[in-house]
Amino acid sequence: MSIHISAKKGEIAKVVLQPGDPLRAKYIAENFLENPKLVSQTRGILFYTGTYKGKEITVGASGMGFPSIGIYSFELFTEYEVETIIRIGTCGGYSSEVALFDLLNVENAASESTYAKYAWEFEQEILPSQGNIHNIINETAEELGLKIKQSNIHSSDIFYRKDPSVPAIAKKYNCPAVEMEAFGLFANALHLGKNAATILTVSDIIPTKEFISANERETALKPMIELALEAAWKVS
Ligand code: HPA
């Protein structure tokens, strides 16, 4: 039990898949894990532990933004002996350089956020994925015949903003898309010497306002979920 997670010690696996949405965690657990058990539902942030092809894996939500993923990933790493977190999320494309349904394996997350500076005194505005899990995801994608792009990503505190143009930091670091959590996850993993990766599916294209509909999401996210589970299995 930690401040924000009510699972008992030993009820969380060494590898955790983290979607942002608690109901997506439930969907993944119920449709992809064997014998899933709900181990925490504090604040509606659902965590399930089950097995995948015989190995124990936990799927639990991060919520949205750095404050939320900052709390959950920190408690998973420090109170539950989690070694690896794979964030599985969606992102918004800044241009037609990316297309709806594209799968991205995040190499670096760039951010204007002060999260890493004030949490851990990291001065960098760009942080890489941590440990070997990024490479394992690439190898696994190849084995599964899945196309995945290596990409920098803009991790932002902001969803709605006044100026519709691509933010300066995204241009500076060649980030074709934006999400709101990877930088916080990578900062925590760097500070704690743990492993962290982020796989994203492009769910909307910001300038054209195209998006994957709610109905399409389940099938759209399936390749990402299977890739994350197969990669998690290898490090379990
Ligand atoms: N902005 C920020 N985060 C996102 C978006 C977006 O457009 N789409 C999915 N996650």
Side-chain angles (χ1 to χ4, degrees):
M1 194 137 143
S2 61
I3 295 178
H4 302 91
I5 304 173
S6 49
K8 296 192 199 87
K9 296 256 185 235
E11 284 187 325
I12 303 259
K14 294 239 172 299
V15 185
V16 177
L17 261 54
Q18 276 208 295
D21 178 358
L23 293 180
R24 185 143 309 129
K26 181 174 196 278
Y27 168 78
I28 295 167
E30 289 177 350
N31 291 281
F32 294 85
L33 296 185
E34 299 118 24
N35 304 314
K37 180 183 170 201
L38 179 64
V39 293
S40 183
Q41 52 182 326
T42 305
R43 288 176 182 252
I45 295 288
L46 306 175
F47 282 82
Y48 293 83
T49 299
T51 56
Y52 180 75
K53 298 187 177 170
K55 292 187 182 179
E56 201 175 69
I57 289 177
T58 295
V59 183
S62 67
M64 289 186 281
F66 306 130
S68 192
I69 199 164
I71 287 171
Y72 292 104
S73 63
F74 186 85
E75 292 183 16
L76 289 168
F77 283 143
T78 59
E79 307 262 349
Y80 292 96
E81 297 171 29
V82 169
E83 288 300 323
T84 304
I85 295 178
I86 304 175
R87 161 165 158 67
I88 44 176
T90 57
C91 61
Y94 280 133
S95 71
S96 50
E97 206 185 306
V98 289
L100 289 182
F101 304 104
D102 275 359
L103 209 50
L104 310 180
N105 190 3
V106 176
E107 285 185 307
N108 301 282
S111 188
E112 317 89 330
S113 167
T114 54
Y115 176 83
K117 177 176 160 75
Y118 287 102
W120 314 122
E121 300 174 7
F122 294 146
E123 298 294 334
Q124 306 92 302
E125 55 185 10
I126 182 159
L127 293 172
S129 63
Q130 297 295 304
N132 200 30
I133 186 67
H134 175 92
N135 295 334
I136 291 170
I137 289 165
N138 282 338
E139 288 162 19
T140 309
E142 203 173 319
E143 287 160 17
L144 295 174
L146 281 175
K147 255 180 105 174
I148 189 160
K149 291 185 180 170
Q150 307 308 297
S151 183
N152 287 353
I153 194 84
H154 178 202
S155 276
S156 180
D157 272 332
I158 297 159
F159 192 91
Y160 299 107
R161 63 172 83 231
K162 183 175 172 185
D163 181 354
S165 58
V166 176
I169 193 157
K171 287 189 192 141
K172 181 174 173 185
Y173 293 108
N174 199 17
C175 303
V178 57
E179 53 83 77
M180 307 181 81
E181 292 82 19
F183 182 79
L185 173 62
F186 294 171
N188 280 2
L190 174 61
H191 172 68
L192 296 166
K194 301 280 187 171
N195 307 294
T198 293
I199 314 174
L200 301 169
T201 300
V202 178
S203 62
D204 52 287
I205 305 294
I206 296 169
T208 61
K209 298 192 164 62
E210 296 163 85
F211 61 91
I212 298 177
S213 70
N215 287 344
E216 287 172 317
R217 277 196 182 218
E218 248 166 49
T219 29
L221 300 181
K222 204 167 171 234
M224 176 169 68
I225 294 166
E226 284 172 347
L227 172 58
L229 283 166
E230 289 289 329
W233 185 89
K234 289 186 182 172
V235 296
S236 292

